[in-house]
């Protein structure tokens, strides 16, 4: 980004050439833009007609804003926004401009947020961002936006070879229960300053995220501040030992080609993320600041032109200085996975006579749910007391049915065949049995899944003839102390014959077959209430 260009408040960065990291707004609805839209739409509730008729016309005042550059001269190279927060002017938002450098606008009385960017005229002269979080307009007022008051934002890694990529500064001001927001994207020459009186303690929250590309690793350096003022300058040169490493690995168990993309960004607040291309079996490493809180990783797999790419996400994970967090996407063993976070949506729901299933049937080896799973065929069926209620096709692990109110025994079966026609296939089946009756409100069905997580290479293989101790984890209704019995079986002939194997200390023990063979896995579970699961993963992984 050229420092002399006008800074952008709503710009997504273009994709760089293959092999280079690229900054970009996160995919989830461009959070910076979405947040700005939500906040600007937050207004006072409409008054009833009778109240409107009786309401007085609000007093208005003249706001004069003078803009000075770093030499103290009037400048027209500015962009100023005045946003109402509370009082009669709460719904106001204006961007006044006059080429003289002095602009006048008349506004209703109230509390406002003012932010202004002033851009130098010379190449590389940088950008000044001046924020007044508290502008109480209760009389004719003059404000001077003076670039000479700013101090540098100097956030960089201790890596002399690192190359600056992008930066986002954002401020959030809350007053009277209403929040307003402003942000700026600018190059390495950004300077910032607070303007005006202090706001209330803790009412001003500010973020600065800066991204750098190194020779062997990249950097996402983010900091958050909460106080009564906007920042005037920011200097941070974090040492490598004070940063946390986030590694993103791209698996290719089916021999996938093409380029995938991994993005790393903070979980909280507005942000710009760092996106890196990943070739098959590739790894991207980003050093991040623990001070920024929790972090997110998003992964987009390769796709042919016109096809919807498959995406995975791992959000809200903690990082620690000096430690490495590794996330592997799109690797075996593929199978059902449930969201175990508190308050997560249940996998199956009974609501009156309606019964529905929504289980990621083809989650990858770390349990990441795919947005567009690759499958050849998928069916979900429901039986009531042995009688078929219905069959749904085309969406792995999903189906909605209408049954009858009385209590009955149900069998719910979901099956999907992995692959896109070119890659080796694998079949995933989960069959649950339970008793259910009509409910007065949405009620979770007593469903469980079993996760198998062997250590595999990024090509989805394990060494031939190795003795395996595969972790086995129960999720859902039977998790914890809810298991009455659990049996695991293994097949090395594509599911034609099965051998029961021992499970001890949460691990299934068996020996891999010869090279070039596949291993299939089956779990048979009964919970303490008599509900059952039979889960079969055919061609779960291969040997090398």
């Amino acid at each position: 980004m050229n420092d002399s260009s006008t800074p952008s408040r709503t710009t997504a960065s273009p994709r760089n050439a293959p092999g280079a990291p690229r900054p970009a707004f996160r995919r989830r609805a461009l959070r910076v833009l979405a947040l700005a839209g939500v906040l600007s739409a937050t207004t006072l509730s409409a008054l009833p007609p009778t109240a409107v008729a009786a309401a007085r016309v609000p007093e208005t005042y003249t706001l004069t804003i003078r803009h000075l550059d770093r030499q103290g001269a009037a400048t027209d190279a500015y962009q100023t926004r005045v946003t109402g927060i509370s009082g009669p002017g709460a719904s106001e938002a204006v961007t006044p401009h006059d080429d003289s450098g002095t602009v006048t606008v008349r506004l209703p009385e109230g509390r406002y947020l003012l932010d202004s960017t002033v851009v130098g005229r010379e190449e590389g002269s940088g950008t000044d961002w001046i924020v007044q979080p508290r502008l109480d307009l209760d009389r004719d007022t003059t404000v001077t936006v003076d670039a000479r008051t700013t101090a540098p934002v100097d956030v960089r890694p201790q890596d002399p070879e690192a190359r600056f990529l992008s930066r986002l500064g954002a401020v959030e001001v809350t007053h009277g229960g209403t929040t307003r927001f402003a942000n700026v994207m600018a190059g390495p020459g950004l300077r910032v300053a607070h303007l005006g009186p202090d706001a209330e303690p803790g009412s001003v929250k500010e973020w600065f995220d800066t991204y750098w590309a190194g020779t062997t690793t990249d950097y996402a350096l983010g900091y958050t501040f909460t106080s009564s003022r906007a920042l005037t300058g920011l200097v941070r040169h974090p040492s490598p030992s004070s940063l946390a490493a986030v590694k993103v690995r791209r698996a290719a168990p089916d021999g996938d080609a093409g380029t995938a993309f991994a993005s790393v960004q903070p979980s909280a607040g507005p942000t710009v993320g760092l996106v890196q291309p990943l070739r098959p079996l590739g790894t991207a490493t980003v050093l991040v600041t623990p001070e920024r809180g929790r972090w997110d990783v998003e992964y987009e797999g390769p796709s042919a032109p016109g096809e919807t790419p498959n995406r995975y996400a791992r959000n809200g994970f903690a990082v620690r200085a000096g430690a490495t967090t590794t996330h592997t996407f799109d690797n075996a063993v593929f199978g059902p996975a449930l969201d175990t976070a508190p308050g997560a949506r249940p996998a199956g729901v009974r609501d009156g006579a309606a019964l529905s299933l929504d289980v990621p049937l083809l989650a990858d080896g770390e349990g990441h749910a795919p947005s567009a799973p690759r499958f050849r065929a998928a069916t979900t069926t429901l039986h009531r007391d042995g009688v078929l209620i219905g069959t749904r096709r085309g969406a792995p692990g999903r189906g909605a049915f209408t049954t009858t109110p009385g209590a009955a025994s149900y069998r719910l079966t979901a099956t999907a065949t992995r692959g896109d026609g070119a890659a080796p296939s694998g079949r995933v089946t989960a069959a649950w049995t339970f008793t259910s009756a009509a409910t007065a409100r949405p009620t979770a069905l007593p469903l469980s899944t079993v996760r198998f997580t062997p250590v595999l290479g990024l090509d989805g293989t394990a060494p031939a003839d190795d003795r395996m101790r595969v972790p086995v984890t129960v999720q859902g209704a039977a998790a914890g102390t809810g298991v009455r019995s659990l049996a695991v079986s293994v097949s090395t002939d594509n599911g034609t014959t099965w051998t029961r194997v021992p499970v001890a200390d949460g691990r299934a023990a068996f020996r891999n077959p010869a090279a070039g063979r596949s291993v299939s896995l089956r779990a048979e579970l009964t919970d303490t209430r008599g509900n059952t699961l039979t889960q079969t993963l055919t061609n779960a992984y291969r040997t090398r």
Side-chain angles (χ1 to χ4, degrees):
M1 181 177 295
N2 189 320
D3 278 348
S4 64
S5 63
T6 301
S8 169
R9 304 192 187 204
T10 57
T11 300
S13 302
R15 179 173 295 184
N16 289 356
R22 55 189 173 100
F25 281 108
R26 65 175 63 223
R27 284 184 294 271
R28 278 178 282 146
L30 303 182
R31 185 165 66 183
V32 172
L33 308 188
L35 180 58
V38 169
L39 297 181
S40 64
T42 305
T43 61
L44 298 178
S45 301
L47 296 173
T50 54
V52 171
R56 67 179 179 88
V57 176
E59 191 73 36
T60 62
Y61 298 101
T62 298
L63 174 63
T64 301
I65 311 169
R66 301 172 60 234
H67 300 85
L68 304 178
D69 62 20
R70 291 182 187 176
Q71 288 72 46
T75 179
D76 65 348
Y78 65 88
Q79 182 181 353
T80 294
R81 182 178 178 89
V82 182
T83 307
I85 304 176
S86 63
S91 61
E92 297 288 335
V94 296
T95 54
H97 191 276
D98 188 278
D99 289 347
S100 68
T102 298
V103 63
T104 299
V105 62
R106 197 159 184 87
L107 294 168
E109 63 180 326
R111 172 73 66 91
Y112 290 84
L113 162 67
L114 182 149
D115 78 291
S116 182
T117 53
V118 179
V119 180
R121 299 183 184 278
E122 294 77 20
E123 180 75 19
S125 59
T127 298
D128 297 285
W129 188 41
I130 299 167
V131 177
Q132 181 165 345
R134 177 177 182 174
L135 173 57
D136 291 315
L137 192 61
D138 54 6
R139 68 197 69 182
D140 292 344
T141 301
T142 297
V143 172
T144 299
V145 173
D146 190 343
R148 295 172 297 178
T149 65
T150 62
V153 175
D154 182 12
V155 177
R156 65 181 65 239
Q158 295 181 10
D159 178 355
E161 303 299 322
R163 176 173 54 87
F164 176 85
L165 293 175
S166 67
R167 173 183 288 122
L168 173 72
V171 64
E172 185 181 271
V173 180
T174 301
H175 178 69
T178 298
T179 299
R180 295 292 184 253
F181 172 86
N183 72 285
V184 67
M185 289 186 68
L190 178 66
R191 298 169 62 95
V192 298
H194 170 88
L195 177 62
D198 287 6
E200 290 74 18
S203 65
V204 180
K205 190 168 186 177
E206 202 158 4
W207 298 264
F208 277 93
D209 294 335
T210 306
Y211 298 88
W212 295 76
T215 53
T216 60
T217 188
D218 296 320
Y219 301 87
L221 310 180
Y223 298 93
T224 303
F225 306 89
T226 301
S227 71
S228 59
R229 298 172 59 87
L231 289 181
T232 296
L234 173 63
V235 177
R236 293 288 189 277
H237 301 155
S239 65
S241 62
S242 69
L243 301 176
V246 177
K247 286 190 175 182
V248 184
R249 305 196 308 165
R250 184 254 175 105
D254 298 328
D256 296 332
T259 301
F261 294 93
S263 63
V264 177
Q265 59 271 316
S267 301
T271 187
V272 173
L274 179 68
V275 180
Q276 295 181 308
L278 282 175
R279 300 295 297 172
L281 313 185
T283 299
T285 302
V286 181
L287 294 181
V288 306
T289 44
E291 295 94 325
R292 189 60 168 85
R294 293 180 177 269
W295 289 77
D296 297 346
V297 171
E298 298 175 359
Y299 174 91
E300 179 181 299
S303 61
E307 290 186 355
T308 301
N310 184 33
R311 297 187 176 101
Y312 298 102
R314 174 68 171 89
N315 296 328
F317 57 88
V319 298
R320 182 168 52 85
T324 299
T325 303
T326 302
H327 304 276
T328 302
F329 292 92
D330 227 9
N331 204 7
V333 170
F334 295 91
L338 302 184
D339 188 346
T340 58
R345 180 181 176 181
V349 173
R350 179 70 185 261
D351 187 3
L355 189 150
S356 62
L357 176 72
D358 189 359
V359 173
L361 205 62
L362 297 176
D364 71 5
E366 289 192 359
H368 308 119
S371 66
R374 291 175 301 172
F375 64 97
R376 300 183 188 181
T379 60
T380 302
T381 62
L382 179 67
H383 288 79
R384 181 183 187 275
D385 287 338
V387 177
L388 178 65
I389 296 297
T391 299
R392 305 291 180 262
R393 304 182 187 278
R398 298 182 65 185
F401 306 88
T402 300
T403 181
T404 52
S409 296
Y410 286 88
R411 180 177 178 84
L412 183 59
T413 305
T415 298
T417 302
R418 293 194 306 107
D420 55 11
S425 65
R427 186 178 177 87
V428 175
T429 298
W432 298 272
T433 67
F434 53 89
T435 300
S436 178
T439 60
R441 61 183 62 87
T443 304
L445 296 175
L447 307 183
S448 303
T449 62
V450 174
R451 298 289 301 163
F452 295 99
T453 53
V455 176
L456 302 175
L458 291 180
D459 60 354
T461 66
D465 300 315
D466 257 20
R467 290 189 177 276
M468 301 290 286
R469 285 179 52 81
V470 176
V472 180
T473 305
V474 176
Q475 298 178 330
T481 60
V483 177
R484 177 184 297 170
S485 64
L486 174 63
V488 173
S489 301
V490 173
S491 172
T492 59
D493 56 8
N494 301 321
T496 301
T497 59
W498 294 87
T499 300
R500 184 74 57 86
V501 299
V503 179
D505 299 325
R507 295 175 181 268
F510 56 90
R511 184 185 290 275
N512 277 336
R517 304 282 295 276
S518 70
V519 175
S520 302
L521 300 167
R522 173 177 289 169
E524 297 168 279
L525 179 148
T526 301
D527 70 17
T528 53
R529 297 186 176 183
N531 307 302
T532 72
L533 163 71
T534 300
Q535 181 179 300
T536 305
L537 313 178
T538 306
N539 295 334
Y541 68 89
R542 296 173 292 112
T543 54
R544 63 179 184 273

